[in-house]
Amino acid sequence: MKAIVTGHTRGLGAALAANLLARGVPVLGLARTRSSELADAYPDLFEEIELDLADSVALSRWLADGMLGDYLDGTGAVLLLNNAGMVSPVGPLDAQDPQAVLRAVQLNVAAPMALAAAVVRASDGAQRRILHISSGAGRNAYPGWSVYCATKAALDQHARAVALDCERGVRICSLAPGVIDTNMQAEIRATPEDRFPMRKRFVDLKETGALVEPDECAERLVDYLLGAGFGAEVIADLRTLS
């Protein structure tokens, strides 16, 4: 078994990678930066590639160079954790930089979809489990988050359609992990209220201690990913899974 984790250098991604490595699962991390902490702690299990997944040209070049197939060669089971994502741009349309919209759609939608297809094509005969880190924002519309809501909804719909294809050895789930105490939450709290009217709700979650720690979330999430019931619910919420 091998795992691929996107956005593995901070927040939930770092916690997911560390959790898998602690269980003895080799991890390939894909992110713009490197994790010296994981590299030092797991030199025999951990590999990483510096790759900006929001750069379509860079991702296309990496997928074409055969490194993914080399990494997965001979692997009996593959886990793909599409964790990397961004909440910006935030605000109504007249506040959105079109270039920022393009980067968000590339990172939040195009990259995970392309990686899902690439992993399945490069690991014929293996058991493949694909996990999209989604959000309640993909299932409910929020003012100021038109891009974030739309991109997370796209992951949900992608998972639904992939599940209908019933490909041999492929399981998929688009999972909302809950509200986690990460840098993204800090970014949300720092957003002016005129661009994100629901800002106070997220400030209150922090001040009342309602945010979940990344390590706690990762433990539950990896338990589910490795469990027999993974994929039974194609659209799921970690807070309501038994």
Side-chain angles (χ1 to χ4, degrees):
M1 177 184 294
K2 288 184 176 180
I4 299 168
V5 181
T6 66
H8 69 284
T9 58
R10 64 179 191 170
L12 179 60
L16 289 169
N19 192 288
L20 287 161
L21 289 163
R23 299 180 193 227
V25 179
V27 169
L28 173 64
L30 305 177
R32 290 178 299 168
T33 56
R34 291 181 175 269
S35 173
S36 58
E37 182 178 349
L38 292 177
D40 291 343
Y42 301 98
D44 298 327
L45 291 176
F46 178 64
E47 299 180 41
E48 59 186 336
I49 302 291
E50 281 189 63
L51 180 63
D52 184 359
L53 295 170
D55 182 338
S56 61
V57 174
L59 177 57
S60 178
R61 184 182 301 120
W62 182 75
L63 289 174
D65 70 11
M67 290 180 63
L68 179 62
D70 292 342
Y71 180 73
L72 297 178
D73 186 39
T75 301
V78 181
L79 310 173
L80 172 61
L81 290 76
N82 280 316
N83 162 79
M86 61 194 302
V87 69
S88 60
V90 177
L93 290 176
D94 63 4
Q96 294 176 14
D97 178 352
Q99 294 301 319
V101 175
L102 289 172
R103 281 186 61 82
V105 174
Q106 167 64 28
L107 179 62
N108 292 1
V109 182
M113 288 185 183
L115 286 169
V119 164
V120 170
R121 288 168 64 92
S123 55
D124 184 46
Q127 294 297 310
R128 283 71 54 92
R129 295 191 175 194
I130 301 166
L131 175 67
H132 292 328
I133 299 300
S134 185
S135 169
R139 299 154 200 182
N140 300 279
Y142 297 130
W145 273 7
S146 59
V147 174
Y148 189 61
C149 290
T151 56
K152 290 303 182 181
L155 288 186
D156 286 358
Q157 197 72 342
H158 179 259
R160 288 187 178 101
V162 168
L164 291 175
D165 289 332
C166 299
E167 290 185 82
R168 181 176 58 86
V170 176
R171 297 190 194 184
I172 190 168
C173 177
S174 191
L175 177 71
V179 188
I180 310 164
D181 197 2
T182 63
N183 289 341
M184 180 180 285
Q185 282 298 310
E187 180 184 345
I188 291 168
R189 294 192 300 273
T191 304
E193 198 158 336
D194 62 342
R195 291 174 58 195
F196 185 51
M198 296 184 64
R199 173 183 173 274
K200 186 178 184 302
R201 173 191 171 192
F202 290 88
V203 171
D204 290 344
L205 288 172
K206 176 66 172 179
E207 292 179 348
T208 59
L211 298 181
V212 179
E213 289 299 317
D215 289 345
E216 177 185 346
C217 180
E219 179 73 15
R220 290 193 61 207
L221 198 153
V222 175
D223 281 345
Y224 175 63
L225 177 61
L226 298 177
F230 177 79
E233 293 184 42
V234 177
I235 307 300
D237 190 312
L238 189 61
R239 293 163 292 190
T240 60
L241 288 174
S242 56

